[in-house]
Amino acid sequence: MPSSLLWAVDLFGRVYTLSTAGQYWELCKDVQLEFKRVSAATQCCWGIACDNQVYLYVCSSDVPIRRREEAYENQRWNPMGGFCEKLLPSDRWPWSDVSGLQHRPLDGVALPSPHWEWESDWYVDENFGGEPTEKGGWTYAMDFPATYTRDKKWNSCVRRRKWIRYRRYKSRDTWAKIPSKDDPSDLPDPFNDLSVGGWEITEEPVGRLSVWAVSLQGKVWYREDVSHPNPEGSCWSLVETPGEVVQISCGPHDLIWATLWEGQALVREGICRNNPKGSSWSIVEAPGSENGIMHVSAGVGVVWAITKDRKVWFRRGVNSHNPCGTSWIEMVGEMTMVNVGLNDQVWGISCEDRAVYFRQGVTPSELSGKTWKAIVVGRESDRSHSGSSSSLLSAGCFFGDEVRGSGTESAPSDTDASSEVASSEVERQGPEQPLPRESLDNSGNLEGSLSRGQDTSGGPEHPTENACLAEGEEKAPETSGSDERRGPASTPAELPWTNIDLKEPKKASSQPTAGFPEASGLSALGPFPLGMEEPYGADDHPLWAWVSGGGCAVEAGSALKWFTVQSGLSPSVQSLSLSITPTQTAAWRKQIFQQLTERTKRELESFRHYEQAVEQSVWVKTGALQWWCDWKPHKWVDVRVALEQFTGHDGARDSILFIYYVVHEEKKYLHVFLNEVTVLVPVLNETKHSFALYTPERTRQRWPIRLAATTEQDMNDWLALLSLSCCESRKVHGRPSPQAIWSVTCKGDIFVSEPSPDLEAREHLLPCDQMFWRQMGGHLRVIEANSRGVVWGIGYDHTAWVYTGGYGGGCFQGLASSTSNIYTQSDVKSVYIYENQRWNPVTGYTSRGLPTDRYMWSDVTGLQECTKAGTKPPSLQWSWVSDWYVDFSAPGGTDQEGWQYASDFPASYHGYKTMKDFVRRRCWARKCKLVTSGPWLEVAPITLSDVSIIPESADVDGREHHIALWAVSDKGDVLCRLGVSELNPAGSSWLHVGTDQPFASVSIGACYQVWAVARDGSAFYRGSVSPSQPAGDCWYHIPSPPKQKLTQVSVGQTSVYALDENGNLWYRAGITPSYPQGSSWEHVSNNVRKVSVGPLDQVWVIANKVQGSHGLSRGTVCRRMGVQPREPKGQGWDYGIGGGWDHISVRANATRVPRNVSRDQEAHGPGPVCC
């Protein structure tokens, strides 16, 4: 999981960030600004400075924030001068917006703030509906407004063209002041609180944020139009409240809570996609009548609060349908503020020592957590204080236990208190039970020490690295040594809310004492209360005033380095353990393994002339499974299976799988030689743990052997054992070769096949159905490979992954998996169902259809009934992570409620109602998550939708040779990856390539020819791409095939193939070195789902439907036959493994075809036509 940031503000207004993968607080830039509060999101942070002005900090990224400005030039034809700018009085403006109602001259479009800059000057957009227009970009119509066309007709009386210009947000990695309107009367009051959230509002468009603020006069303001392409928003709008508000909190979803001066809480209701500001307020009373609420923090499904007596409260029963919750539960601890971040994780600042605490044990099943734990890491600046007592302080997060004494106690947790969240009783902690004192007075002032109940006879030592807020008792510190800290002490003062007019305490002079016992000063890791002078200065121990975890993603159970220390080790042992690096450990293990191997060889050398006592051994494994029988009626029958493995005198192994079944009380069996098995595929469904076994014969029949186990573990055991036996029979071990062929099934399973030299030969051709595929761990949607061993993949959630060089993972453990380079991998996908309704004259649209209609709750085809309650995740490995929500991104558009209308089922759906629309449908989606393992590492933070790696020949030298890699982000941005090599397959950074519209697919050929497809179906060619100019210079618009919208493109050595939305495969003809754009598109085949062109111009596809002798398979691997320089389109298809395959990449297979080949090659069929 990629690292994320926790934001915090100390009492002096300095903003710090702490990474989930780091161990130091890092000071934010623009240190001249002092802040009171910050509120963070994933990619940005909003803050209120001490001047009460609002600032925005946008984190840097390789992908810029771009916004397109548009203006339309309108002209009308007249008999005298033709088309001109002289329009009729009733016409629109000569320069207008798309509607024609707003005057928009080019010189009148200005930048919204100083934080933006123009990328280029205005230019004409010559793309119209995916097709290039005539020179000048004009489109014609009969009148304003009307339907515009590219071609000029005899009745075309008006015309218009679109001018576009891009502006870029430039203030990144710095605090940018939010601009206000010029009119002072419209300025809101100075702000004293601010909260950011709402980026995951149910059915919310991706990228939109909700920013709420509270002014000094108690008014609530909402920032309009804040989104990823417009991070500043547009203006502040006032939201009426029933009283004066002092503080507000906005959760990631649709929870908004605020506190009133009277101590009550306000809850915003009616928040939805079309109304992110909500509709009304509800009042929630405080937990007690004596102390009102002074601080609240809302999460996804939780609300935490702080009352005026510093008690912490948890609100029970909060969710999107009941934002007010049901009752308050008192928690252990006393805090000045709390903040709920991503995944409902909680941070707080203790009122006793001003340290940041993290709530441990927060899970979806136990939202209240278990205990508070202090974050004890130092700051980045502390690392430079080496060789002094300050360096010992900054090292306290590594060395702590050896100086705290043997009597160190583990702080009790409030598990008992948190467990009572499920009950109706409210357990209160008495006021006489304060938090443990983490801040220590190490001076000789006895009175000051006694006021805190501490013994100052020696240097006190506290385990502040592992300090937890305990329930019910106060821990007495233990003493060791006789050294006393020098410096005056004072009684802790009450901490104010703001850092205005605060002065930093002066550093007291202190003499570092020789010897390690002086390290008892490590107890100063606990920050001092305000008013107490610090021997090492305030810079060594920050006192925190505010914390924000809105952009900090901490998974439940993840190991953080914020408070993890080694315990029970002496300083010498700790120094030794820290000095041994993982690299040294790996080298040490390798050396021992080599020595043992050499000794075994020496010992066996003396006995080589002896004959083996047993020349052949047999090993058998049996079990009970279910088998999908071959005869009709097809059904699952109980069978006994036995795997017999033979080991010959030469060490070669072979295996046979026997399946024993009973037919009409007669015992029969069928057997399969595992050296004939071509693939083992998990067939995951809602009810069965099943897998399929293919042989060449059954591949041609399209009827595999399907077996099912009773449990998932049983299926995984059989799958791993059979896969290992198949690999041993074929002597395939270890990681795949750099020139391997990769593929992905529709379930996300990854398979790899080692290419044979005969695979692309024209004589003695290896049939495609005899290729052996073995499964790799992980879960992907798209995969792309290169002959240098660089392999990238994209998950269903658009996360990019890079291959680490291992093998196995997932259910393949032990001998079937490598011991290193296996990492945890997760993926998220959505399940869709449709709500269908028909109109009748009496009641309008209802769920009662005609007898011939589809199910009122169905899949996209309408043939299968799918209800919310009856729909389950794709398989038992998936688990739901969200509720059902309306999908507004359905093709064709929707109305405000998500409905699509049509004349009948099925038909062409549109997002508006007409008089002829008698049926409508609405798409519902629900997210589910899978967690597995495999040889993949995440490439953060940009999510991708497509990736392409340059196909290279196998004879390219240089492991540090830079490899070209292009990608398309999920937002449609085109990117070029820099620094990709065999030694660094993940690369270093992204280079953004500007486009005029979002793209969908990209492919780079062996000669650096880059082709791409936009989301509107148009094709583009990138000119002047080379190793010295990796991003090229400009895009050339290539006309698409007539009346077709392209969806994918693949480029090989010289060939360019494209796929349209109707499954037609096209070849680009006329490509020459002097004219790389080609001349025309030529149709090759239909019924194609995906295409991949290799470095030798070999063409492989995923066919949509292929008919076999026993069944029909959907998603079949096919290879184009007869591809040669004189016949680049080939002559026929060779059908391979299937069905259920969804993606293939042959761009790493650079095995040269033998030169002595015959040109007489018969075609293997007319093509993968639908049967």
Side-chain angles (χ1 to χ4, degrees), residues 703-745:
W703 192 265
I705 298 175
R706 290 186 60 182
L707 298 172
T710 55
T711 64
E712 181 181 358
Q713 184 62 41
D714 195 13
M715 184 199 73
N716 291 338
D717 292 343
W718 274 104
L719 198 60
L721 178 61
L722 293 174
S723 179
L724 180 61
S725 300
C726 292
C727 292
E728 288 178 345
S729 300
R730 294 177 178 264
K731 298 181 180 179
V732 177
H733 300 285
R735 61 170 292 175
S737 67
Q739 300 189 26
I741 300 176
W742 296 75
S743 64
V744 180
T745 68

Side-chain angles (χ1 to χ4, degrees), residues 907-1073:
S908 177
Y909 295 92
H910 43 267
Y912 52 90
K913 185 182 182 305
T914 65
M915 294 294 295
K916 298 180 180 180
D917 294 329
F918 297 100
V919 297
R920 67 178 183 178
R921 71 174 186 179
R922 180 164 57 180
C923 180
W924 292 80
R926 192 177 186 184
K927 294 180 180 179
C928 54
K929 184 177 183 179
L930 173 142
V931 178
T932 181
S933 62
W936 306 94
L937 271 179
E938 183 175 351
V939 182
I942 299 174
T943 52
L944 305 178
S945 62
D946 193 26
V947 65
S948 178
I949 311 175
I950 184 171
E952 296 180 333
S953 300
D955 54 0
V956 177
D957 296 330
R959 300 189 67 188
E960 306 223 357
H961 167 68
H962 282 200
I963 299 171
L965 186 148
W966 286 61
V968 178
S969 73
D970 62 334
K971 295 182 176 63
D973 298 298
V974 179
L975 308 169
C976 176
R977 189 69 172 175
L978 302 179
V980 178
S981 65
E982 189 175 351
L983 297 178
N984 184 25
S988 56
S989 62
W990 290 105
L991 178 62
H992 181 262
V993 181
T995 59
D996 292 339
Q997 57 181 314
F999 276 39
S1001 174
V1002 69
S1003 181
I1004 179 171
C1007 300
Y1008 290 89
Q1009 61 271 44
V1010 176
W1011 286 67
V1013 174
R1015 289 184 180 176
D1016 62 0
S1018 55
F1020 290 87
Y1021 171 80
R1022 186 71 176 178
S1024 303
V1025 178
S1026 64
S1028 59
Q1029 193 177 0
D1033 57 2
C1034 63
W1035 292 103
Y1036 297 93
H1037 193 171
I1038 309 298
S1040 302
K1043 300 181 180 180
Q1044 301 293 338
K1045 291 185 177 181
L1046 301 180
T1047 58
Q1048 188 210 346
V1049 64
S1050 185
V1051 187
Q1053 180 76 23
T1054 58
S1055 299
V1056 177
Y1057 281 80
L1059 190 66
D1060 65 25
E1061 60 184 359
N1062 296 317
N1064 296 306
L1065 183 65
W1066 300 86
Y1067 168 76
R1068 187 66 178 176
I1071 294 179
T1072 61

